[in-house]
Each structure stands twice: as C-alpha cells, then as structure tokens.
Amino acid sequence: MSTENELSTPVATADNDYSADKIKILEGLEAVRKRPGMYIGDTGVRGLHHCVYEIVDNSIDEALAGFARNIHVTIHVDNSVTVEDDGRGIPVGIHKTAGVSAVEVVMTKLHAGGKFNEEGGAYKVSGGLHGVGAAVVNALSESLHVEVRQNGKVYKQSYKRGVPVGPLKEVGVTDKRGTISTFKPDPEIFEVVEFSADTLANRLRELAFLNSGLRITLTDERQEPAKTQDYCYDGGLVQFVEHINKSKQKLHEKVIYFSHSKDYLSIDIAMQWNDSYTETISSYVNNINTIEGGTHVSGFRTALTRVVNKYIQETGLGKNLKEDGLTGDDIREGLACVISAKVPEPQFEGQTKTKLGNSEVEGFVNTTVYEKLVDYFELNPAIAKRIIQKAVDAAIARIAARKARDLTRRKTALDWGGLPGKMADCQEKDPALCEIYLVEGDSAGGSAKQGRDRKNQAILPLKGKILNVEKARFDKMLSFEEIKVLITALGAGIGKDDFDINKIRYHKIVIMTDADVDGSHIRTLLLTFFYRQMPQVIERGYLYIAQPPLYKVKKGQKERYLKNENDLAEHLLASGLEGMQIKAGGKVLASSQALSSLKAASRFSKSIDRVARKLHPELLRSLVTHGVGPSTLENKERFQEIMVKIAKHAQEREIPFEFTLDKDPEHNAWVATAHSVIHGSKRVAPINVATLDSPEYEELCKHYQAMLAMGDGPYTVTIEGKPEITCATGEELAEKVVELAKSGMVIQRYKGLGEMNPEQLWETTMDPARRTFLKVSVEDAVDADGIFSVLMGDQVEPRRQFIEENALRVRNLDI
C-alpha cells in the first residue's frame, strides 16, 4: 500500500466532522468563566488578588475624578472581600439600550463603563481601560453583592456567578454616598481562595502614595481582634521616594519633585539619588504599574541624559572622561524615581497593561523633564555637582569593567569549551529541559555530581561565599572569581547591554545550600546577585531553591528524612503515639485528636521560650492559662484578682514576682507593671494592651486553646507491657511522648550536603519525583528592593530596626 493512496483516502471519524454547528458562541460572561486567564492573568494567587485590584481601581477612578476621598477594603472571615468608597456611586437609573439598571449593566456586561461615552465620559483619565473589571469579578465570584448610596437612598443587588438574583432594589435611606461591593471568589474557578493581607497591603499602600490625600484602609477580620492598616500620604510621590530610600544613604536630603499638565496630559515625577549602585524607577499610568515602562519612562530617561550632559559641557565637571562621556546608565546609578502619568486614552500592551505605547506622551515628558531639571540644576549647583560626581564615578567604573566583561563574554559557555573547570555539565542541549545546581563547596559538589541525572542536571560547585553585590560596583563584581564562574556557566552574559535571557543555558537554576546559617547566607548572597544583576531570571520563573533535609531518623528498618526542626518535632510526636493509649477525664482520646493537640502543646512550649524576653516564662504561661486578654484590662477588679492568683502561684513555685496596677489613659484600660527575676537578673515589664494585643501573644493563646481540645489533665498513658504513666499538663505529656519516641531511634543531623552520600542526595533533594523546590518570585518590586537594601546594604541602623521588629516572628532558627 503506497503513501499516496493512504493520503488520498480520507477516513471518516468524529474528529473530521467539522461543520457550522461546531462553532460555539459564548454569550455574556460565559466567556470569562470559560477562559478566566484572558481577563485576570491566571486562576492562582495573582489572579485572585487581581480581582480585588479591579474593584479598587473603580473606586480609584472616582478619586481621580475628584469625588472620592476614602476607600475601605475588608477581608472577611469567609475570605470574601468588601470594597467601599465615598464616591458618586454607580448610576442606578435604567439604561436606555439595555433596559435594566446601569448598575446591572456595569456588573454583567463586558466593555461597559463611564469611560466610553464619546460625548464626554464620566472620567477624563481611568485605570480601567477596557471596562471589564467589575463584570469579570462578578463572573468569577460565587456571590457578589453591590450596594449604592446615592441621592439619600440605598440600592442593593445580588448576583450568583455573574447572574442577577433579582433586579436592583431600593432598600433604605442614608446621608452617605458611594459604592460598596462584596464578592466571594468562586472555588470552581480559582486554585486558591484565601487572600494575603500583605499582598493587598502592598498594592493599597502604593495607590495611597500615588493619590496624595486619599485614605485607603485595609481591615483583616480573619485575625482576632481584626487588624486594620491605614494608608494616607499627603506628600504623595515625595513620600513614595522617601519610602523607597528609607534604608539607603541619600546623596541629597530633599526629594526632587515637579509636576506639569498640558491639555489632558499630566506628569508627576519625584526623584532622589542614593549611594547604591542600582537604579529604581517605578512608573505608573493612571495608577497602573507599568512594570515594562513605556514612552513616559523613555521620555524621562532621554531628558535626564540630555540635561546632565549639557550641564557637564557648561561646567566642565566631566573633563576626565575624555571621549567616553556619560551614558544614561551612569547617570541613573543610585537613582530612586517614581513617574506617574495621567493619560486620557492610554494605549497599553494587552489587558495586563505593563507598557505604555502613546507616542505623544514621550515628547511631553521629555520636554517637561528637560525644562524642570535644567532650572533645578541651576538653582541647586551643589546638589547637581554631587549627582554628576556619582555619575562620573560610575562611568570610570564602567570603563574599568569593560575589559573584564569582554573577557567574560569571550569565555561564554556558548563556546562549550569555556566552561568552569569544576563544573559538570549535562548532556541535554535544550535549555527548557536543563537544570543547573549551584552547590555550596566541593564536598557537596562531589556528591551532587555522582548522584545527579547526567542527562539534564548540571552541577556548579561554588567555593565559599560569593561577593555581596549590594555593596559592590559592577567592575568589582566582575573581578570576583566565583561570580565570573557563575556568569560563564549560565552563558547569557552580564550587564544591561550584554545580558540576553534567551541565551541562558538552563531554565531551572537551583540554589542548593546547606540547611544551616552559612547555607542561608550563601543563598541570600546568590538571591541578591540574581535580583540585582539578572532580574529576568526571576521574572521568567527560572530560579529555584532546593529543600535538602536537616535530619535523618531511623528506627528499625524504617528511615525518613525531615526538612527542619518542626518536621522532626511532629514526626517524633506521631511516632511516639504509635501503640499508645491516652486517657483524659476517663475517656480514651482518638489518635488524630491527640496528635493535633500534642503538636499545639509542643508549639506552645517553644513559643513561650521565644516570646518570654522580659516576662518570666511561668508568668507568661499563667496569663495565657487564666485567659487574660485586652478586654480583661478594662475591669480593674477582675484583672487584679487574676494577678493576685498569678503572684500566689509564682510564690508557690519560688519565683520572685511582684506587680503594681496603674491606669493606662491611652487605651482606657489598666496596666500591671511586673517585677520578676529571670536567670538571676531583675526584669521589669508592662502587662498592657500592647502586650496582650501582640501577634506573639495571640499565637500563644491559639496554641493553648488547640492543646485544650483534648480535655483537661491529668492524662494517663498506657503502653502494652509497660507501667502506666501520668502527666499533669499537655506540655508535660508532649515531652513524655517525644521522650518515648526517641527510645531506639537514631537521629542524624546533617551539618552539610557533603555529609550525604550521592544516593541520599539524589533521593532527598534532586529526584524530580520526590524533591521539593521553592520557586523564587517577586510580588512587590518596591518592597523587595527595600528588603535587599536593608539586609545586604551598608546602613546598620535600618538592619538593626528590622531585626528588632521581626526577631520574634522567626520560625526556622539554627543556633
């Protein structure tokens, strides 16, 4: 049978039956539910939070138009979200074309809104370019309720998965105005439906910076008591730049700020140089973060370069540079800048709106920045000189780095012969299938080389700690041997002009360091390198962190690897309960209930030790067991009665402890000043609202309540063939269970990856079927920049403050 005959004789199958009735038309919001990723990016964490941003953006549009001054976002216990503003409210009248209320049109029709009216829309500028936000959120919500306060009346309408439950109804009267939208994400659509308060806070704080005077409040009712964060910045962009530079040494104290409007275009720019070696330009159009920049950013950069070069020619400040001159990168080194443009008809690249394309904006920004900066430099010659001197220093470093960079480029891994000597490459040449492990030291590197899959896993051992690039200029970085080795291995070059992400040889770059303090430090140094010098690696999702185990436990023939202290503690509890019967109040506890409560008891004990810095641990324990909370401080007699009991208990246990009771006028409550002795030294600490309202104390109470779920003590433990054991408290019981579990068990703690043999390293950390990786991503660029500056920069004070504020939140501490 010939190939021609096979091709000329079509086979009738169901797949070939392609006719007009196979074309399906998705009506209304059905398309949104069918393809949600087209409208919100994805159905994961990012898409979930994007829904909140879409509703908030509608309220922001009211603020831009000058009608709203307050926006309140609330996360409810059931993970529904309410967005409330005091704007004009969505129009409630009947829409002439649709025949239903304008509220229903906005909530159920795509591309419907107050920005499309050719006779003059409701908004001169708007973040919601396509008018799909509210309707898309409605379509992807299990339920949505909208309330409009307008003209002294209250109107309400509810929806289920985008479909109106009934028409818009007038339900009451009010002296307020605005729109309240409450929606609950649909679990049929979203992979996760739990909102992150921190993620929302970052965006809301950003919006408050961009709209000076606008007050945005975020309340998380899932905490007890509810936590509220308030954002309002009268200084606007100036305070935004101060926030970016808060952990950096400023080159000039006052932020440079100017704004200008022409026709319907307006531009606001705030800028300040610091002594770092990176530029941070955050750009926005109608409050939308244009992370890829666009014409407003290119206009700014061009003008800045023109102004500085003009000033150099007139003053002769850069004469030492000769023919090289200053580049834009030199001038922007250490620059922190926020650009906010208002554009009536912005042209973005797709619904994600990451890059502005309006050509008229570039010329407008260019002219504005040039004129304003020329005037500023003339009026502030001392500041201009400092800025230019930093740029000149950057240019000298750039010229000095040229030879090193050229050498690195010549030795690029694309030559295949220029790979680092200790590197073991893989056989696969398709980058999408290749992995490279950045391993700490030759010992671990040797195990990794022997245990890997040679087909697609490459190993690069790194000697010691790499250079902290947060404190080093580009030329110094390129002279550091381990960084040159890393750049060569990855094969994509380095520097803004030479780095090409499309040439990178591995689409999985895995940082694999020891599970100890030194390993964490090396990991942080590598993260700093990628974030500062190869951010595209993180943006593309190519960077991962391996999760090697810290412990190996063996009992009999059974072996298990455990990632950290917490996993070990839980494993010991689970192992100890095997073959054990526990009774509380004469009732036998179910093993699942006992395990859950004992885990809580173990966490309670560890948390007591961690939190008890000034208060004696026994005093802290007594406060929790007596149910003392912020409300207790409102009743003097009740509070005093409990404190007397605690003092008596302390005396019985020979713990020196006294207290005095005073009024706390700030919180209209009482405060007890506790005097105790810890490890021979006297400690004085207040027991007040701040103490009892802290996250640490709340966590203690939560663990204690979970421990009590197995009932009050004493507890009796029965194991076949052994005497019965009695424990007075849940904590004592947890300790006894762990002690019994350790009997006959061998626990090995790995100090480093090099202690594992190749087979162990493969099965615990490198085997795709069993390993666990953490994918590195950046949710908030401004916050990430600040954290790297605080932890890795030169300024000691911000780092000390960060450690003091976050020390008690540490969960994995290796001592």
Side-chain angles (χ1 to χ4, degrees):
M1 187 181 291
S2 70
T3 306
E4 286 185 14
N5 288 337
E6 285 183 305
L7 293 174
S8 61
T9 309
V11 180
T13 67
D15 292 338
N16 290 60
D17 187 14
Y18 183 53
S19 55
D21 60 355
K22 296 293 182 183
I23 306 297
K24 180 175 175 59
I25 301 173
L26 299 176
E27 300 289 349
L29 300 183
E30 188 183 355
V32 181
R33 291 185 62 82
K34 193 77 173 175
R35 298 286 185 268
M38 289 179 61
Y39 299 89
I40 58 170
D42 59 46
T43 55
V45 173
R46 190 165 300 189
L48 177 73
H49 291 83
H50 187 83
C51 289
V52 180
Y53 306 152
E54 287 285 4
I55 301 297
V56 171
D57 281 348
N58 292 339
S59 298
I60 292 290
D61 287 342
E62 280 291 288
L64 286 174
F67 296 102
R69 301 303 300 162
N70 297 280
I71 300 172
H72 198 137
V73 179
T74 304
I75 311 172
H76 301 291
V77 176
D78 64 348
N79 271 294
S80 61
V81 171
T82 295
V83 179
E84 177 181 354
D85 66 54
D86 58 356
R88 292 168 291 182
I90 304 171
V92 296
I94 300 299
H95 192 275
K96 290 185 293 184
T97 307
V100 294
S101 68
V103 172
E104 187 171 325
V105 171
V106 168
M107 301 307 298
T108 60
K109 306 293 183 185
L110 297 179
H111 311 294
K115 58 209 73 167
F116 298 119
N117 195 324
E118 294 178 2
E119 298 173 4
Y123 307 108
K124 290 180 180 178
V125 294
S126 167
L129 173 66
H130 303 307
V132 302
V136 165
V137 175
N138 191 15
L140 303 179
S141 296
E142 181 181 327
S143 63
L144 184 144
H145 309 280
V146 60
E147 177 180 315
V148 178
R149 298 165 175 172
Q150 199 174 85
N151 301 323
K153 297 178 180 179
V154 180
Y155 302 85
K156 282 188 177 181
Q157 188 173 22
S158 297
Y159 305 85
K160 293 287 185 184
R161 294 185 168 89
V163 179
V165 175
L168 183 73
K169 292 181 179 179
E170 181 184 330
V171 294
V173 295
T174 181
D175 57 355
K176 298 179 180 179
R177 70 175 195 180
T179 304
I180 305 174
S181 301
T182 300
F183 71 94
K184 187 176 182 181
D186 191 345
E188 293 180 6
I189 299 292
F190 292 97
E191 298 161 26
V192 289
V193 290
E194 186 169 346
F195 289 96
S196 163
D198 289 340
T199 300
L200 292 178
N202 288 332
R203 174 59 179 159
L204 297 179
R205 183 186 60 219
E206 187 179 73
L207 288 168
F209 277 129
L210 293 168
N211 299 273
S212 59
L214 175 65
R215 183 173 298 279
I216 304 180
T217 307
L218 173 64
T219 299
D220 187 353
E221 293 181 345
R222 297 171 300 182
Q223 299 192 29
E224 184 61 45
K227 181 181 178 182
T228 296
Q229 301 172 71
D230 207 37
Y231 305 105
C232 184
Y233 305 100
D234 291 329
L237 299 195
V238 171
Q239 283 185 264
F240 200 168
V241 170
E242 290 172 346
H243 173 74
I244 294 171
N245 272 342
K246 66 182 177 182
S247 58
K248 299 171 183 173
Q249 185 67 43
K250 291 84 173 174
L251 226 58
H252 50 99
E253 207 53 44
K254 196 172 180 181
V255 175
I256 302 169
Y257 171 77
F258 47 80
S259 64
H260 183 60
S261 299
K262 182 181 179 183
D263 298 327
Y264 287 128
L265 293 176
S266 72
I267 186 74
D268 289 78
I269 296 177
M271 53 203 291
Q272 185 183 45
W273 274 264
N274 57 62
D275 67 349
S276 73
Y277 307 123
T278 55
E279 68 173 90
T280 305
I281 296 182
S282 301
S283 64
Y284 302 84
V285 173
N286 301 353
N287 290 317
I288 293 163
N289 188 357
T290 45
I291 55 177
E292 293 184 61
T295 52
H296 53 325
V297 176
S298 58
F300 166 78
R301 286 176 168 167
T302 302
L304 178 60
T305 305
R306 283 173 59 208
V307 171
V308 171
N309 282 322
K310 176 178 181 291
Y311 196 82
I312 284 177
Q313 290 173 2
E314 293 175 351
T315 59
L317 288 174
K319 56 188 177 183
N320 294 335
L321 293 175
K322 299 179 182 178
E323 74 281 355
D324 288 279
L326 292 177
T327 67
D329 288 341
D330 299 331
I331 295 165
R332 296 191 303 274
E333 183 184 273
L335 172 65
C337 176
V338 179
I339 303 169
S340 178
K342 300 294 190 295
V343 183
E345 294 290 339
Q347 298 168 10
F348 293 109
E349 292 188 355
Q351 170 67 11
T352 51
K353 311 171 189 140
T354 57
K355 189 173 184 179
L356 182 69
N358 298 60
S359 57
E360 73 277 10
V361 175
E362 184 166 18
F364 169 67
V365 174
N366 192 328
T367 302
T368 301
V369 173
Y370 183 82
E371 292 175 353
K372 300 285 186 181
L373 266 185
V374 165
D375 291 344
Y376 182 87
F377 278 12
E378 288 179 356
L379 294 171
N380 300 273
I383 293 175
K385 186 175 180 180
R386 286 201 292 273
I387 292 170
I388 288 169
Q389 186 56 55
K390 178 169 177 59
V392 169
D393 292 344
I396 292 171
R398 170 177 52 83
I399 295 165
R402 187 180 296 156
K403 290 182 181 180
R405 188 174 61 223
D406 289 345
L407 180 63
T408 305
R409 189 191 300 124
R410 285 197 299 273
K411 285 188 175 182
T412 178
L414 293 177
D415 297 334
W416 305 111
L419 289 173
K422 292 183 179 180
M423 177 181 173
D425 201 10
C426 57
Q427 299 163 355
E428 179 66 57
K429 300 306 177 189
D430 181 357
L433 303 176
C434 293
E435 305 174 353
I436 184 169
Y437 289 78
L438 310 181
V439 185
E440 175 187 349
D442 292 338
S443 177
S447 292
K449 287 176 185 177
Q450 294 177 56
R452 68 183 174 131
D453 182 345
R454 296 170 183 269
K455 181 181 178 183
N456 72 322
Q457 292 180 333
I459 308 296
L460 177 62
L462 294 173
K463 186 179 179 182
K465 294 177 175 133
I466 72 163
L467 181 73
N468 179 4
V469 299
E470 189 71 22
K471 297 181 180 180
R473 247 199 188 104
F474 194 67
D475 57 326
K476 184 180 179 183
M477 181 193 75
L478 286 183
S479 67
F480 193 81
E481 187 60 34
E482 293 304 294
I483 286 182
K484 287 196 289 186
V485 164
L486 179 55
I487 295 167
T488 303
L490 296 179
I494 193 69
K496 291 183 179 179
D497 297 329
D498 294 314
F499 181 78
D500 185 353
I501 188 66
N502 296 313
K503 292 181 180 178
I504 204 154
R505 300 183 61 230
Y506 312 91
H507 285 188
K508 266 196 177 69
I509 302 168
V510 185
I511 299 173
M512 189 164 74
T513 58
D514 294 344
D516 59 11
V517 172
D518 282 340
S520 296
H521 191 196
I522 293 169
R523 182 165 62 244
T524 304
L525 290 168
L526 285 166
L527 288 170
T528 305
F529 169 77
F530 282 108
Y531 179 74
R532 291 301 188 196
Q533 297 299 329
M534 296 183 178
Q536 298 94 324
V537 167
I538 298 175
E539 290 165 9
R540 292 280 186 98
Y542 294 167
L543 190 61
Y544 297 83
I545 297 173
Q547 298 290 284
L550 188 60
Y551 292 98
K552 174 188 173 184
V553 295
K554 184 176 181 180
K555 195 166 188 177
Q557 297 300 311
K558 291 182 180 180
E559 289 184 351
R560 185 167 179 180
Y561 295 94
L562 301 165
K563 191 175 70 174
N564 51 38
E565 294 274 0
N566 188 54
D567 284 359
L568 174 64
E570 294 191 358
H571 175 72
L572 289 172
L573 287 171
S575 298
L577 285 173
E578 292 179 3
M580 178 184 291
Q581 185 185 78
I582 299 175
K583 289 183 181 179
K587 294 182 179 179
V588 177
L589 295 177
S591 57
S592 59
Q593 176 61 67
L595 179 59
S596 177
S597 294
L598 289 175
K599 284 180 181 179
S602 178
R603 290 170 188 154
F604 179 72
S605 296
K606 291 177 180 177
S607 297
I608 285 281
D609 294 335
R610 189 171 64 244
V611 175
R613 292 188 298 172
K614 293 183 178 179
L615 285 172
H616 193 284
E618 284 303 316
L619 171 59
L620 190 59
R621 183 177 277 105
S622 294
L623 288 172
V624 176
T625 56
H626 281 85
V628 177
S631 61
T632 311
L633 309 187
E634 296 171 7
N635 186 320
K636 181 182 178 181
E637 289 73 22
R638 172 67 178 148
F639 186 31
Q640 189 167 23
E641 179 187 343
I642 292 174
M643 292 305 299
V644 168
K645 287 181 180 178
I646 290 173
K648 184 180 178 182
H649 177 73
Q651 186 179 5
E652 290 171 354
R653 303 196 62 166
E654 298 183 351
I655 299 169
F657 170 65
E658 295 178 354
F659 74 92
T660 55
L661 219 58
D662 301 288
K663 187 71 174 177
D664 179 3
E666 183 182 349
H667 297 96
N668 191 28
W670 292 89
V671 55
T673 304
H675 300 260
S676 59
V677 178
I678 304 177
H679 303 305
S681 61
K682 293 180 180 179
R683 300 292 177 91
V684 179
I687 302 172
N688 54 14
V689 171
T691 303
L692 304 182
D693 203 23
S694 66
E696 295 79 29
Y697 186 79
E698 289 176 15
E699 183 183 46
L700 274 179
C701 295
K702 182 182 75 174
H703 293 327
Y704 180 70
Q705 291 302 319
M707 178 175 68
L708 288 184
M710 65 180 174
D712 294 327
Y715 309 95
T716 56
V717 178
T718 306
I719 303 173
E720 188 176 347
K722 292 185 179 182
E724 190 174 82
I725 301 168
T726 302
C727 298
T729 66
E731 292 177 82
E732 185 183 331
L733 177 60
E735 288 178 10
K736 179 57 67 175
V737 171
V738 168
E739 180 188 322
L740 292 170
K742 286 182 177 179
S743 177
M745 181 182 287
V746 178
I747 302 175
Q748 181 182 358
R749 187 184 192 278
Y750 293 109
K751 292 181 180 178
L753 295 170
E755 292 187 11
M756 293 187 191
N757 61 44
E759 292 77 17
Q760 289 174 327
L761 192 56
W762 164 257
E763 66 185 35
T764 63
T765 316
M766 301 177 71
D767 180 4
R770 288 178 283 186
R771 70 192 181 189
T772 300
F773 282 175
L774 297 180
K775 190 173 187 177
V776 179
S777 63
V778 175
E779 291 295 330
D780 184 82
V782 171
D783 257 20
D785 178 84
I787 289 294
F788 276 109
S789 297
V790 167
L791 298 181
M792 308 303 290
D794 285 318
Q795 298 299 302
V796 176
E797 183 58 29
R799 184 156 50 249
R800 183 184 67 80
Q801 184 180 343
F802 178 88
I803 292 170
E804 286 181 351
E805 290 175 355
N806 294 278
L808 294 180
R809 295 185 174 89
V810 173
R811 291 295 173 268
N812 297 305
L813 182 61
D814 181 87
I815 299 176

